[in-house]
């Protein structure tokens, strides 16, 4: 059974960055494309607390890495998320910082 308390959101190209961040803050599960996630995370320092709270990135079609059409975007997203995670591990967030990101 799926827990009815789990909030899912789908972030598409139709959603602007401000709305996307609001939806991400309220969600437990985020579904999006590499291209949209690339757009959202480009200025990750502006949304550091929110993005650093992400604990798992599950990638479908990882075989795209190295492809000329979409591979570069996927590689960038993976690399950026690893950088955000490293930065999050190096910084201790206060409970008020975490609360203000939601």
């Amino acid at each position: 059974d799926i827990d009815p308390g789990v909030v899912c959101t789908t972030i598409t190209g139709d959603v602007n960055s401000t709305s996307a961040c609001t939806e991400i803050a309220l969600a437990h599960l985020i579904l999006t494309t590499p291209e949209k996630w690339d757009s959202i995370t480009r200025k990750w320092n502006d949304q550091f607390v929110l993005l650093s709270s992400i604990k798992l990135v599950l990638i479908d079609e990882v075989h795209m890495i190295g492809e000329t059409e979409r591979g570069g975007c996927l590689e960038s997203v993976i690399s950026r998320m690893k950088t955000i995670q490293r930065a999050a591990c190096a910084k201790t967030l206060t409970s008020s910082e975490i609360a203000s990101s939601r």
Side-chain angles (χ1 to χ4, degrees), residues 32-49:
T32 191
T33 63
E35 292 80 9
K36 187 59 183 181
W37 196 247
D38 178 48
S39 171
I40 291 168
T41 60
R42 276 188 185 263
K43 295 184 179 180
W44 63 269
N45 284 313
D46 295 347
Q47 298 294 333
F48 176 72
V49 175

Side-chain angles (χ1 to χ4, degrees), residues 81-98:
M81 290 307 296
K82 289 173 81 172
T83 299
I84 292 168
Q85 187 59 44
R86 276 191 226 107
C89 289
K91 179 179 165 90
T92 304
L93 299 173
T94 66
S95 57
S96 62
E97 285 177 310
I98 294 168

